[in-house]
């Protein structure tokens, strides 16, 4: 007679969490929770999601804040933590660099620059801040344009940084900053002077 195993009655979600805890360190789990957090939260919330104690979560969050990965937000009841804008930007830069070729990034940068020029022509303004100074409080279309314009400027900066990674050489560290200024600028790619970069002209 064939013996059949008893059907498993546990929770699939709990099994996944247990496996996650077994394969990661407390620091890795807190960091992973931080990366998926969009609003500031107390250490206790991170502790619950990362399956660590609250003091452990707080210690790791303070470390992440010290290194610029997290931002500490003081409140009347303690400190909340959220991903820093810098770490979000760097993740976007890394993602673009991994997904897009130099040629695709170059084409994207040209497209964004064309769109920025179109905003400037359409609104007869030097930039989004210039436009914002001329708007009244109830000009919904104008404020939407300011928001979209600023988003395009951020997109341009991220794309330029991603393109610069194609030229970045961590071993290229000239000791004579004066005589190697041009080499150093070129090693930084699009983060140097756009006028000197044929790829982004």
């Amino acid at each position: 007679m064939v013996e059949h195993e008893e059907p498993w009655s546990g929770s699939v979600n709990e099994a996944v969490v247990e496996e996650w805890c077994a394969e990661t360190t407390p620091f890795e789990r807190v960091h992973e929770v931080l990366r998926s957090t969009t609003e500031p939260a107390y250490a206790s919330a991170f502790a619950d999601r990362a399956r660590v104690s609250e003091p452990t979560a707080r210690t790791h969050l303070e470390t992440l804040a010290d290194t610029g990965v997290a931002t500490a937000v003081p409140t009347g009841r303690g400190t909340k933590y959220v991903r820093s804008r810098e770490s979000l930007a760097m993740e976007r830069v890394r993602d673009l660099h991994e997904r897009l070729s130099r040629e695709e990034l170059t084409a994207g940068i040209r497209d964004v620059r064309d769109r920025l020029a179109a905003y400037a022509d359409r609104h007869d303004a030097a930039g989004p801040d210039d436009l914002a100074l001329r708007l009244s409080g109830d000009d919904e279309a104008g404020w939407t344009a300011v928001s979209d314009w600023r988003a395009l400027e951020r997109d341009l900066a991220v794309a330029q940084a991603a393109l610069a990674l194609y030229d970045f050489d961590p071993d290229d560290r000239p000791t004579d900053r004066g005589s190697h200024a041009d080499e150093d600028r070129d090693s930084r790619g699009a983060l140097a002077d756009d006028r000197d970069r044929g790829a982004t002209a």
Side-chain angles (χ1 to χ4, degrees):
M1 181 176 178
V2 178
E3 293 186 6
H4 297 282
E5 292 184 0
E6 288 293 324
W8 184 58
S9 60
S11 165
V12 173
N13 288 340
E14 194 58 38
V16 170
V17 169
E18 289 178 4
E19 183 178 353
W20 178 50
C21 291
E23 295 179 353
T24 57
T25 66
F27 178 83
E28 290 171 335
R29 294 197 297 280
V30 171
H31 189 192
E32 189 173 330
V33 171
L34 177 72
R35 291 180 61 188
S36 64
T37 301
T38 57
E39 297 293 334
Y42 291 109
S44 57
F46 284 93
D48 289 342
R49 293 183 59 192
R51 298 300 197 273
V52 298
S53 69
E54 185 173 339
T56 295
R58 184 175 292 105
T59 296
H60 294 323
L61 287 165
E62 288 172 355
T63 298
L64 290 165
D66 288 342
T67 57
V69 177
T71 297
V73 183
T75 74
R77 297 173 48 205
T79 302
K80 289 186 174 183
Y81 298 88
V82 69
R83 288 184 67 185
S84 69
R85 295 178 63 182
E86 293 79 7
S87 68
L88 282 167
M90 287 309 301
E91 188 164 312
R92 287 188 64 200
V93 168
R94 185 170 57 248
D95 178 62
L96 280 180
H97 180 71
E98 291 174 351
R99 288 192 298 108
L100 302 178
S101 67
R102 179 193 293 267
E103 292 73 21
E104 289 170 325
L105 281 169
T106 299
I109 288 171
R110 287 183 178 136
D111 176 63
V112 172
R113 283 181 169 163
D114 288 344
R115 293 167 65 187
L116 287 170
Y119 269 94
D121 290 342
R122 185 181 314 131
H123 299 285
D124 190 25
D129 293 339
D130 182 30
L131 175 59
L133 289 173
R134 293 189 272 129
L135 294 176
S136 62
D138 58 353
D139 188 346
E140 186 175 338
W143 288 111
T144 297
V146 168
S147 177
D148 292 346
W149 199 340
R150 286 173 175 160
L152 276 176
E153 289 185 335
R154 290 192 296 270
D155 289 345
L156 177 62
V158 168
Q160 287 175 322
L163 180 63
L165 289 179
Y166 278 103
D167 298 317
F168 177 70
D169 181 358
D171 296 323
D172 181 18
R173 301 187 184 96
T175 54
D176 184 348
R177 302 297 292 179
S179 62
H180 295 286
D182 289 339
E183 291 178 21
D184 188 47
R185 183 192 62 233
D186 288 344
S187 74
R188 289 182 282 122
L191 292 180
D193 187 341
D194 287 341
R195 293 169 299 182
D196 296 332
R197 305 299 304 165
T200 60

